Amino acid sequence: MSIPKMMKAMTLTAYDHLKLVSVPVPQPGPGEVLCRIKSVAICGSDPKMIHGGYAFTNWPPYYPFIMGHEWAGQIVALGEGVEDFKIGDRVAGEAHVGCGKCDNCKRGHYTVCLNYGHDGHDGGLDLGHRHYGFYWQGANAEYNVYKTSALHRIPDNVSYDVASMCDCAGVAFHGVQLAGVTPGGTSVVFGPGPIGLCAMQECKALGSGRVIMIGRGKKLEKARELGADVCIDFEKEDPVQRVLELTGGVGADEVMECSGAADSPMKACKLVRKTGSVALIATYHDPDVLIPVNTVNFNEIRIVGSKANPNVSEEVLNFFSTGAIQGEKLITHTFPLEEYEKAVDIFEHKKENSIKVVIHP
């Protein structure tokens, strides 16, 4: 495969300003590979980042910046010392690569690497951390370079479009794993967006006897199509009361909060059973989300925070391969890179019943 010297890239040049430009194709260093990006899925964090919603985190750290962190592609060049991948491999990528040296990374918690942000982009010491599409250049381009530790081979029967959702489904699965799934029990998922729909299917794959989805509108209908056992429209009935009715007053065994609504953590704690688990998988616009601490204490409820998708990509790709997650049914729109702004608008404002929108660079 002939690799060009220049490539198209969609860059963020300032808040709310995107520009399609031609930039040099990056070269892989030791332990890195160059990938031809085939598919990039838009994440809920992308519009927020475009609008400056992550200024407090210093995302992006500089301009112009190439975003995009949910992606799949093909390896086209190898850096020095790469032996575990070969040219032609179809791969899906993770956004996080930890430094590999700190205590958290050594314990497998590389998404909360203690050297987060120390990637040398600002001229400081490069401790090896990468957060692609947030602190480090991302996938909204024809090519990008990745450390091999960020990559996972795609099963032959999984398309690039579906594989680009590995990050999204992995975020869901990390939270599901942290909360735990009770075989034969009752699981509740708040929010039938892409992450919530993946979490719902993952709960079923792990043996939940009944999965209840709480949401509204067309996405709630999609949850029913994808196998939710019970769908509760929170605009028509009280989800806490309804779940308690369905469980004989006991409550759900575990709750996956994927909506990001300010009142959902409170509701989750009210409808989960004594000694049950609540996973906070969403991010919240309001940092002062209320949790009923006495209910948590007296009922010995376990609340777990969940960040990104560490150590789950292989399982998620297998879920796609076996059909446990019906990835193709989550993709509603595809666009070329040139129409990225239109794609973001459709995704952000939930136009045309959009769920997952995928870009083809």
Side-chain angles (χ1 to χ4, degrees):
M1 179 183 293
S2 177
I3 302 172
K5 293 183 178 180
M6 303 295 289
M7 67 178 184
K8 293 181 296 183
M10 183 61 67
T11 60
L12 184 64
T13 59
Y15 292 143
D16 292 315
H17 287 86
L18 291 158
K19 185 177 182 181
L20 184 68
V21 299
S22 179
V23 298
V25 173
Q27 300 300 308
E32 297 178 333
V33 298
L34 176 67
C35 293
R36 174 68 172 94
I37 307 300
K38 298 288 190 177
S39 302
V40 187
I42 296 176
C43 172
S45 64
D46 291 329
K48 186 174 180 179
M49 191 167 170
I50 291 169
H51 301 322
Y54 291 117
F56 67 96
T57 65
N58 200 33
W59 296 343
Y62 53 85
Y63 296 107
F65 188 77
I66 302 172
M67 297 168 49
H69 62 279
E70 297 186 8
W71 69 276
Q74 188 172 38
I75 295 175
V76 295
L78 308 178
E80 181 184 350
V82 174
E83 297 179 351
D84 47 344
F85 288 92
K86 66 182 185 300
I87 291 174
D89 281 348
R90 302 168 67 247
V91 293
E94 294 188 39
H96 286 268
V97 172
C99 72
K101 309 175 189 70
C102 72
D103 287 342
N104 281 1
C105 282
K106 289 177 181 177
R107 295 168 182 163
H109 306 305
Y110 53 90
T111 61
V112 285
C113 172
L114 297 177
N115 285 315
Y116 184 90
H118 295 167
D119 54 17
H121 75 266
D122 56 359
L125 185 63
D126 185 356
L127 296 179
H129 179 270
R130 300 286 186 271
H131 192 188
Y132 297 108
F134 293 87
Y135 260 105
W136 199 264
Q137 299 281 15
N140 286 345
E142 293 181 277
Y143 297 87
N144 198 25
V145 163
Y146 291 92
K147 289 191 174 185
T148 57
S149 54
L151 305 180
H152 302 273
R153 288 182 182 83
I154 303 170
D156 291 341
N157 66 335
V158 176
S159 70
Y160 286 118
D161 282 1
V162 170
S164 72
M165 296 188 293
C166 181
D167 184 285
C168 170
V171 168
F173 193 52
H174 181 48
V176 168
Q177 282 190 324
L178 288 173
V181 171
T182 304
T186 297
S187 305
V188 168
V189 179
F190 277 86
I195 291 176
L197 291 171
C198 287
M200 179 200 78
Q201 295 175 84
E202 290 159 354
C203 287
K204 293 185 76 68
L206 293 184
S208 180
R210 175 172 54 178
V211 182
I212 300 171
M213 176 63 79
I214 297 172
R216 63 179 175 181
K218 293 292 185 180
K219 289 184 179 179
L220 192 61
E221 294 179 15
K222 176 62 72 171
R224 185 175 288 108
E225 175 190 340
L226 292 174
D229 297 291
V230 179
C231 290
I232 299 174
D233 187 333
F234 65 81
E235 291 184 330
K236 297 179 180 179
E237 55 185 334
D238 179 0
V240 175
Q241 180 179 343
R242 182 64 178 137
V243 170
L244 291 176
E245 290 174 356
L246 289 168
T247 58
V250 174
D253 294 288
E254 53 270 337
V255 181
M256 316 302 163
E257 206 306 277
C258 305
S259 74
D263 60 348
S264 289
M266 172 75 75
K267 292 177 181 177
C269 293
K270 295 287 188 181
L271 61 77
V272 74
R273 67 177 298 148
K274 294 178 180 178
T275 72
S277 300
V278 174
L280 302 180
I281 302 173
T283 56
Y284 300 89
H285 297 291
D286 183 354
D288 298 318
V289 171
L290 296 177
I291 291 176
V293 289
N294 283 339
T295 298
V296 171
N297 286 346
F298 296 160
N299 289 348
E300 292 195 358
I301 296 169
R302 186 168 64 96
I303 299 178
V304 293
S306 179
K307 181 181 180 182
N309 57 325
N311 309 304
V312 296
S313 294
E314 298 292 338
E315 291 94 330
V316 164
L317 287 167
N318 184 62
F319 283 151
F320 286 139
S321 179
T322 62
I325 300 177
Q326 302 175 64
E328 68 285 346
K329 292 186 178 181
L330 298 175
I331 299 169
T332 54
H333 298 74
T334 60
F335 292 93
L337 186 63
E338 291 82 356
E339 296 182 34
Y340 181 74
E341 290 184 79
K342 178 181 178 181
V344 170
D345 178 61
I346 286 176
F347 174 81
E348 179 184 8
H349 298 105
K350 301 178 177 61
K351 296 180 179 178
E352 302 174 10
N353 298 323
S354 63
I355 297 177
K356 206 62 179 171
V357 178
V358 175
I359 303 298
H360 295 150

